[in-house]
């Protein structure tokens, strides 16, 4: 089983950006967590981060036939991008949405998720551990 983990704009700034909201753990800490989780679960994974909407769309399209699950934190594009929603629907790969912060308890514009309409599940406000929970969900549900 292979899981694609996708991160949108500014997620590479973890640990630096608004630590009171996103925590002190760095993007590198997140990459270590993904690697450890994949090893524990016995799956392959690929991580891709981009600050550009079209790059994320391209990566979702390239997952068709190559990945069995997608974990996605579209970051700010969560709340604006119909293109990412359509890409997720196009490939039809089981997907889980992750948000490090509890978006439901923040500004009203963060409470709309387009990408979430194509995801089976949303994990919010669990810090970077949310990515581990999302990978576990996909593995327990879809690993053969
Ligand atoms: C985020 C929440 C978004 O509203 C925000 O734009 C982000 C990160 C999160 O992980 O909590 O960049 O997706």
């Amino acid at each position: 089983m292979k899981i694609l983990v996708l991160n949108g704009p500014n997620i590479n700034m973890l640990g630096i950006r608004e630590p009171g909201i996103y925590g002190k753990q760095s993007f590198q800490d997140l990459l270590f967590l993904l690697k450890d989780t994949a090893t524990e679960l016995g799956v392959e994974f690929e991580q891709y981060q981009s600050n550009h909407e079209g790059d994320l769309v391209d990566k979702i399209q390239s997952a068709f036939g190559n990945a069995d699950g997608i974990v996605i934190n579209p970051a700010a594009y969560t709340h604006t991008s119909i293109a990412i929603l359509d890409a997720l629907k196009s490939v039809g790969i089981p997907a889980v949405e992750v948000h490090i912060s509890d978006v439901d308890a923040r500004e009203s514009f963060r409470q709309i998720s387009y990408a979430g309409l194509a995801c089976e599940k949303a994990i919010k406000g669990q810090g970077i551990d949310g990515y581990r929970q999302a990978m576990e969900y996909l593995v327990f549900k879809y690993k053969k």
Side-chain angles (χ1 to χ4, degrees):
M1 181 172 186
K2 181 169 174 187
I3 296 179
L4 174 64
V5 181
L6 281 173
N7 281 301
N10 303 305
I11 300 297
N12 56 317
M13 296 296 282
L14 277 184
I16 300 166
R17 73 181 291 213
E18 301 181 271
I21 294 175
Y22 298 111
K24 289 184 180 151
Q25 286 175 294
S26 65
F27 184 60
Q28 189 58 52
D29 292 332
L30 172 60
L31 298 181
F32 287 138
L33 176 138
L34 298 176
K35 187 167 183 285
D36 289 349
T37 304
T39 304
E40 270 167 35
L41 295 171
V43 295
E44 280 179 63
F45 87 103
E46 181 186 353
Q47 192 286 143
Y48 183 77
Q49 188 276 331
S50 177
N51 296 325
H52 305 280
E53 185 177 15
D55 285 350
L56 293 163
V57 170
D58 287 345
K59 196 67 190 177
I60 293 166
Q61 289 184 4
S62 73
F64 184 72
N66 290 312
D68 310 294
I70 294 177
V71 172
I72 183 164
N73 182 351
Y77 291 136
T78 306
H79 320 299
T80 61
S81 179
I82 297 169
I84 290 176
L85 166 64
D86 285 348
L88 289 168
K89 283 186 166 177
S90 298
V91 297
I93 299 168
V96 177
E97 175 187 14
V98 172
H99 297 288
I100 295 162
S101 67
D102 182 5
V103 280
D104 293 335
R106 298 182 63 193
E107 301 97 324
S108 56
F109 62 81
R110 294 188 202 275
Q111 291 165 31
I112 295 160
S113 172
Y114 290 104
L117 298 172
C119 293
E120 287 189 14
K121 188 176 170 69
I123 298 170
K124 306 170 190 177
Q126 303 292 308
I128 65 171
D129 191 65
Y131 292 83
R132 186 188 59 74
Q133 294 174 33
M135 288 171 79
E136 271 184 1
Y137 171 87
L138 288 169
V139 168
F140 290 138
K141 186 155 178 196
Y142 292 104
K143 192 176 176 191
K144 289 169 200 126

